[in-house]
Amino acid sequence: MNIPHRSIVEHPERNVIRVQLAQNVLLKGMTAAQTMELEPQLQVVDAPKGHWLLHQGVHEMEQYFILDGILKRVVSTPDGKQMILRFAAEGEMETSYAAWKLGTPAPYSIMGVTRTRVAKLPLRDWVAFIEYHPGLKQAFEYSVMHHMSDIMAHTITLHLLDAPGRVQRFMRKHADLFERIPKKELASYLNLTAETLSRLKARGKI
């Protein structure tokens, strides 16, 4: 599906979008001058549920700031099996910076769990921008490392915790997302069946 991309100034909801960008965890500390420098480089994408923003294996990568909705990182095997690595919602960002920096293909896909609106720009342009703003670069690289650490911790808990423990850990860490993510998606992330998730809820285990 070909989804239109619009600059912020062309978007009918540009004032709302500017407020949302100013609330982004990574961008909220930017000065007015930095915002004026970055805004013309951003394209806004309003995408339906299930839209793929990034395909695993590509070399052309982008930086995403989530304005509305929920995204997920997904790794796919050649035989079609999938593993969800993380969810990210409005106010957060998504990236494949590590792969771009290493010159390797994108190791995962990024797609919408819900209807989404993101502001994006090519990773090479984002990296060029943060090179001139060391404080922002430091915050961005810290976020990238934090995401990687979270994914590693989640992968470990899939092996160490039983089914109720996995669900309870997710509820502690992501209470705001628990009711928003479709149960089939959440079950997949926790390496459970949707039936097991429903059964745990019915029995009061979660």
Side-chain angles (χ1 to χ4, degrees):
M1 184 185 298
N2 196 11
I3 305 295
H5 301 172
R6 288 180 279 194
S7 67
I8 292 175
V9 73
E10 294 171 334
H11 201 287
E13 296 183 50
R14 54 188 171 273
N15 293 332
V16 173
I17 289 168
R18 285 174 176 138
V19 170
Q20 291 171 321
L21 283 170
Q23 294 170 341
N24 184 274
V25 67
L26 194 61
L27 305 180
K28 62 185 179 184
M30 289 205 311
T31 65
Q34 289 171 333
T35 300
M36 287 179 64
E37 183 184 348
L38 180 63
E39 182 180 299
Q41 301 184 60
L42 295 172
Q43 293 284 307
V44 178
V45 182
D46 291 282
K49 175 181 177 181
H51 179 69
W52 298 81
L53 289 169
L54 175 73
H55 288 275
Q56 183 176 325
V58 303
H59 283 270
E60 289 294 319
M61 304 178 210
E62 296 173 309
Q63 172 69 23
Y64 306 99
F65 301 102
I66 309 168
L67 306 178
D68 276 312
I70 303 171
L71 299 179
K72 65 178 179 179
R73 286 188 193 182
V74 184
V75 171
S76 302
T77 63
D79 60 356
K81 292 180 181 176
Q82 293 188 341
M83 179 180 181
I84 300 173
L85 299 178
R86 75 182 291 257
F87 296 107
E90 53 276 326
E92 298 183 78
M93 64 95 171
E94 256 301 0
T95 190
S96 47
Y97 174 70
W100 184 88
K101 193 80 171 172
L102 292 168
T104 56
Y108 44 74
S109 301
I110 298 173
M111 67 180 298
V113 174
T114 63
R115 288 181 61 85
T116 56
R117 173 181 288 170
V118 302
K120 67 172 191 170
L121 74 164
L123 251 175
R124 63 179 178 277
D125 295 341
W126 169 246
V127 172
F129 176 76
I130 61 176
E131 286 296 336
Y132 285 98
H133 305 288
L136 189 58
K137 180 181 180 181
Q138 184 178 16
F140 170 68
E141 291 186 339
Y142 175 83
S143 291
V144 171
M145 289 187 290
H146 182 67
H147 295 163
M148 293 170 71
S149 177
D150 277 352
I151 290 169
M152 187 178 297
H154 166 67
T155 305
I156 292 168
T157 59
L158 292 182
H159 297 282
L160 296 183
L161 297 181
D162 61 9
R166 280 177 252 162
V167 180
Q168 288 161 6
R169 179 179 183 274
F170 184 86
M171 291 171 71
R172 284 196 308 273
K173 293 181 68 67
H174 307 287
D176 54 326
L177 294 181
F178 186 73
E179 295 298 336
R180 295 181 58 197
I181 295 173
K183 292 300 175 274
K184 184 178 178 182
E185 300 269 11
L186 181 57
S188 176
Y189 175 70
L190 298 172
N191 199 24
L192 305 171
T193 64
E195 293 75 20
T196 298
L197 192 59
S198 296
R199 193 161 56 245
L200 289 171
K201 196 167 186 179
R203 291 178 179 174
K205 295 287 185 70
I206 57 174

